[in-house]
Amino acid sequence: MTSTYYPITGIQVGLGPLEGQVPLRQEVDAWYTDPNNVNQVNLFFLALAKFQSLPVTDKLSYYQVAGIHGQPLVPWDEKTTSKSPGSGYCTHNSILFPDWHRPYILLYEQRIHEIMINDIIPTFPDEDQDKLTESANAWRLPYWDWAAKKKRESSRIATYEAPLIVKEPTVTVQTSTGPTEIPNPMHSFRTERPMGEYGINALHPVGGFPYDICKATSKCPPPDGPTTQTEWINGVQNDDQIAASLRTADWYEGSRYTDTLGEAVYRLFSQSYFSNYDAFASTRYSQGMSPPNYLSLEDIHNNVHGWIGGPNGGHMSIVPVAAFDPIFWLHHCNVDRQFAIWQSLNPTSWFSDRAHQLPDDGTWSIRPGAIDTPNTPLAPFHTNLNGTMYTSNSVRDWTKLGYTYPELQPWLAKYEVDGQFSQTAYTKDIRAQVNRLYRNPILIRPPIPIPRLPPILDPQPVPKPTLPNPGGPVELREAVAHGAATSVKAEAQPEILKIVPEHDIEEHDYIVNILYERFALQGSPFSVHIYIGKDTRVGSIYNFSTPAHSTGTTDGCENCRIQEDAHTLATGQVPITHALLQDVQDDEKPLSSLNPDEVEAYLTQTLHWKVTKSRGIEVPLESIPSLKVALAVGKGTHFSDEHKLSHFRDYRILHAVTEGRAGGCNRNDNL
């Protein structure tokens, strides 16, 4: 009897030559603009376009793979019924969040490689196929490091940007018959008919137009207006708004404040910020958790979903349809990278201990309230033809899945000491790379800029990347070397600062923690915004949820209502030390230091918060009685040795700032 299971193995070719060496998933802008990758880029566009064109009924089509995450709420690669009606397979507000998404991204990567090998390369002349196969086998899915600043022609300084590869609506690719312009498959995903005909529900409560009428995905669509329904149906891609949100709009308003995103990511990796694995992995609240643990990998991930989708309901902003947007895969590849870096810095931290295992909110394959363990099946992802499921234990080592990331290459000679691999040297170098990428210069003064390597090969602007090939695909590399194709620009590279303080610096550190019911407002997506002063928004968190009455069957999402009734709690965090430092330096602000007594008095007058749902509609704080906003002060030590990550510790709650206010933390809240 022939099995119908699809084995997800990862790309197990292109390995070596050194022991343990696997190909790198590269940062997407660096990969996309590197002339050495021009064959890979060409194959990627062609394969992704083919992937997206497969019939929606095909189990291995883009539509079906994207649908695993949420809608159309059908089983994938198995014959099952939902254990949590109204929910897809994805795990959110769950300790399994980073683990489950690892084989999901692996499936996507594997499918693109299979299409390169089986469908695209055979269309080229025989004499070109070996070289193209070599390029395909070395390819791995790129990640978008949204927390690394990049220099673009349009900006004076390096800042957060949308990836170049998604911006143009069309791209020129090389086919066996010559250069051809095609719709850019990274720009949006399109279907021939409205997606409602393929099983996508309307999801009206998100606001504005329903998802079932869409024939394309949207990023940051405009508010309702005379022409927006047509735009909504055909897809709106507002990349400038994504960049604005990453830079300022949802963290810091005004040109002074542009570092919160990178700082939040930096704290993920800093010394002992999290007391255990579950605090790092998930937004799920645990009674008595320490103040730093309100931050999490999932918390930051949620915010990026909100910024890409936008306040007007773009696909990335809501769980059931997020994975249909092609940018989802670059985003989650980066989340997996952050997970892998944290694992490398904390190799013994896991959740095998029952004390660190949490109940699940429920998914298609997990009943609500089930305790997640490292052996919980990560459905619907099978490791073999017999239907064995992946587990967190079996995805713990990502290199066995055929890939790694630029920061994580233990086979390099620089990690050898006396002819043996040195874990100490490896870990120290990872810390140095994290410092260069994400440590906030305002906390460590003065910063010394170090140019990013490799150097600029061609500083000339290229308005629309194309893949010309006058001599056939194998000659692409030579053509590019002589300036015939897309050039590498310094602006595509992440900005790296080598922070070299003269001595260790210790100062007070301030964070705002937010506790909320994930399914407050009947599960509608909402944001909690933190302000210092009347108009200066210093951060926000996004709940990334699903309206309980808008998905699943005609009666809505049963599991969402269960979570709503159970008052499932989630956490988020906004670091504000750098905002306060800016105010200290502002002669017009009545703050002269970070002394806790002075900061407490200052923030008692100036710290406030508000909640908005879709379309930016403000929500009365009294309508979310679960909301608790707390200010905590601790200590931060920032080291002159770049091989040491900052150490944040000894936090306590400053109740006087928030008590007695709607949504504020009181002394008897035990937070």
Side-chain angles (χ1 to χ4, degrees), residues 209 221-233 236 615:
F209 302 115
D224 299 347
T227 64
T228 52
Q229 178 164 342
T230 299
E231 293 175 348
W232 175 249
I233 291 171
V236 178
R615 267 57 187 176

Side-chain angles (χ1 to χ4, degrees), residues 294-355:
Y294 278 64
L295 183 69
S296 65
L297 176 65
E298 185 179 13
D299 172 32
I300 300 173
H301 145 275
N302 288 354
N303 291 328
V304 176
H305 268 280
W307 296 327
I308 298 171
N312 303 317
H315 286 70
M316 277 285 283
S317 67
I318 187 165
V319 174
V321 294
F324 288 100
D325 192 321
I327 205 171
F328 171 94
W329 307 97
L330 304 183
H331 166 46
H332 266 280
C333 192
N334 189 48
V335 172
D336 183 75
R337 166 180 163 268
Q338 293 169 344
F339 179 28
I341 292 173
W342 193 87
Q343 288 181 273
S344 298
L345 294 172
N346 302 272
T348 63
S349 185
W350 203 232
F351 58 111
S352 302
D353 189 329
R354 176 63 183 86

Side-chain angles (χ1 to χ4, degrees), residues 239-260:
D239 299 314
D240 290 339
Q241 182 57 48
I242 294 173
S245 296
L246 292 170
R247 296 172 197 167
T248 59
D250 284 318
W251 285 93
Y252 265 19
E253 292 183 343
S255 60
R256 296 186 310 157
Y257 305 127
T258 59
D259 295 315
T260 311

Side-chain angles (χ1 to χ4, degrees), residues 364-441:
W364 181 280
S365 61
I366 302 172
R367 62 174 177 80
I371 301 300
D372 293 324
T373 78
N375 290 314
T376 298
L378 302 179
F381 309 122
H382 298 110
T383 67
N384 55 39
L385 293 170
N386 296 323
T388 303
M389 290 282 188
Y390 275 104
T391 66
S392 297
N393 280 336
S394 61
V395 300
R396 189 173 181 179
D397 183 353
W398 60 95
T399 62
K400 292 181 179 178
L401 305 176
Y403 69 90
T404 193
Y405 296 99
E407 299 86 357
L408 309 174
Q409 303 181 62
W411 57 83
L412 295 179
K414 64 180 177 178
Y415 303 129
E416 286 191 11
V417 176
D418 298 328
Q420 299 292 322
F421 170 74
S422 169
Q423 183 67 47
T424 300
Y426 180 53
T427 303
K428 288 175 65 176
D429 189 56
I430 296 172
R431 292 174 185 152
Q433 293 180 75
V434 168
N435 273 326
R436 293 168 191 162
L437 276 169
Y438 304 122
R439 186 154 62 171
N440 190 341

Side-chain angles (χ1 to χ4, degrees), residues 373-626:
T373 78
N375 290 314
T376 298
L378 302 179
F381 309 122
H382 298 110
T383 67
N384 55 39
L385 293 170
N386 296 323
T388 303
M389 290 282 188
Y390 275 104
T391 66
S392 297
N393 280 336
S394 61
V395 300
R396 189 173 181 179
D397 183 353
W398 60 95
T399 62
K400 292 181 179 178
L401 305 176
Y403 69 90
T404 193
Y405 296 99
E407 299 86 357
L408 309 174
Q409 303 181 62
W411 57 83
L412 295 179
K414 64 180 177 178
Y415 303 129
E416 286 191 11
V417 176
D418 298 328
Q420 299 292 322
F421 170 74
S422 169
Q423 183 67 47
T424 300
Y426 180 53
T427 303
K428 288 175 65 176
D429 189 56
I430 296 172
R431 292 174 185 152
Q433 293 180 75
V434 168
N435 273 326
R436 293 168 191 162
L437 276 169
Y438 304 122
R439 186 154 62 171
N440 190 341
I442 198 172
L443 300 179
I444 308 294
R445 299 168 298 277
I448 301 175
I450 303 296
R452 171 84 179 197
L453 296 177
I456 300 173
L457 298 185
D458 181 358
Q460 299 304 312
V462 182
K464 180 183 291 189
T466 59
L467 298 167
N469 184 7
V474 173
E475 286 73 33
L476 271 174
R477 193 181 305 271
E478 296 179 2
V480 171
H482 293 87
T486 304
S487 50
V488 173
K489 297 173 288 184
E491 64 199 49
Q493 307 292 336
E495 178 82 353
I496 289 187
L497 291 177
K498 187 175 183 181
I499 310 300
V500 189
E502 295 180 357
H503 51 79
D504 295 351
I505 297 173
E506 181 173 286
E507 56 191 7
H508 295 289
D509 184 68
Y510 294 86
I511 53 179
V512 174
N513 288 336
I514 300 109
L515 179 67
Y516 61 95
E517 287 185 15
R518 185 165 176 250
F519 282 83
L521 305 182
Q522 296 78 51
S524 293
F526 64 84
S527 295
V528 181
H529 308 278
I530 306 299
Y531 291 79
I532 298 179
K534 181 179 179 181
D535 300 316
T536 304
R537 179 167 44 189
V538 296
S540 65
I541 63 95
Y542 182 65
N543 70 330
F544 194 45
S545 66
T546 303
H549 53 290
S550 67
T551 184
T553 67
T554 55
D555 295 326
C557 173
E558 178 182 333
N559 183 49
C560 301
R561 282 196 295 268
I562 291 173
Q563 294 183 60
E564 182 182 353
D565 294 340
H567 306 289
T568 301
L569 293 172
T571 65
Q573 184 180 103
V574 176
I576 63 169
T577 302
H578 51 311
L580 294 171
L581 282 170
Q582 294 282 4
D583 288 352
V584 167
Q585 297 168 12
D586 188 339
D587 292 337
E588 297 182 0
K589 300 291 177 66
L591 184 68
S592 62
S593 76
L594 293 183
N595 178 278
D597 291 339
E598 186 176 354
V599 170
E600 184 175 39
Y602 177 66
L603 291 180
T604 298
Q605 300 297 319
T606 59
L607 184 71
H608 64 281
W609 49 91
K610 70 178 181 181
V611 176
T612 60
K613 58 182 181 180
S614 59
R615 267 57 187 176
I617 299 171
E618 188 168 352
V619 177
L621 294 175
E622 292 77 10
S623 65
I624 308 182
S626 65

